[in-house]
Every structure is written in C-alpha cells, then in structure tokens.
Amino acid sequence: MPDEPEILDLEPVHRPDPSDEDEEAGGPVKTFLEHLEDLRWTIIKCFVSVLLGVVVCLSSGNFIIRLLTWPLQQAMRMRTTSEPYVVVSFGTNILGRLPLAQFLVAGASTNK
C-alpha cells in the first residue's frame, strides 16, 4: 500500500477575534466613540490644569512680581548709594560691592 496518499492531521487554524486583540504596538482596538471619549477626558484634564495654573498665578501674583523684581531693586539700591564702595571681583566676574568703611586700607580707590 505504498501508493496510498498520506493523510495529514491538520488542526483548524485559530483566528482570534480582532475586537479582543491588541494591535501590534498601538494598544487596544477602540471604536470611534471610545476615541472621542478619550479625547473628551484629555481636553477636560487640560482645561482643569490651565484653570488651576491661572488661579495659582492670580492668587500669588504679588509674591511672584516681588520675586522677579528683587534683583533689580537690589541692583538699583547698590547703584544709587552715596557712600564710597569697593568692587570685589574675580577675573571679569563681580563678586560684590562693599562699603569702603569695611576696609582699613587708607587711600583705596573708590567709584567716585
């Protein structure tokens, strides 16, 4: 009986339902309405975040302005002083301006 054809035992091909399966790298398969629901929640979260940021900035606006203008006020106060001072520098970096009264060196040069 060598001429008889060989019978192969074939298992049925399992094809999963596409609604259960994740796409290769895109996450679960969603319907159009599910995508709209995700978009709606994303827009709501963004709106709440912006609203929260506005409330924080408005409630602490004076503090923020004082914080941002503090270096300018310090520079103006240092610049408009009437007493002589000594500039302390390291290379081209100015480390500070100190009143001449702190130094005991007679005849030190000043800004006047």
Side-chain angles (χ1 to χ4, degrees):
M1 305 222 170
D3 293 337
E4 290 183 20
E6 218 177 290
I7 298 176
L8 298 174
D9 185 24
L10 298 177
E11 296 180 18
V13 177
H14 176 66
R15 293 193 175 134
D17 187 16
S19 62
D20 301 343
E21 179 182 306
D22 288 354
E23 291 182 5
E24 286 183 22
V29 177
K30 296 181 182 179
T31 65
F32 179 71
L33 292 177
E34 289 172 338
H35 281 290
L36 284 180
E37 181 74 15
D38 289 345
L39 179 63
R40 181 177 73 102
W41 280 109
T42 302
I43 291 173
I44 289 172
K45 289 175 187 176
C46 290
F47 179 74
V48 168
S49 299
V50 169
L51 186 65
L52 183 64
V54 167
V55 167
V56 168
C57 287
L58 287 177
S59 65
S60 62
N62 291 333
F63 174 74
I64 292 172
I65 296 298
R66 276 186 284 148
L67 183 71
L68 293 175
T69 58
W70 181 77
L72 177 63
Q73 291 171 352
Q74 294 297 320
M76 294 300 289
R77 189 170 46 184
M78 289 175 81
R79 189 176 187 104
T80 59
T81 183
S82 61
E83 64 183 27
Y85 60 89
V86 175
V87 177
V88 179
S89 63
F90 182 73
T92 58
N93 300 320
I94 296 176
L95 300 176
R97 291 178 174 91
L98 302 172
L100 185 61
Q102 288 183 353
F103 295 94
L104 300 176
V105 179
S109 62
T110 65
N111 63 335
K112 290 191 174 207

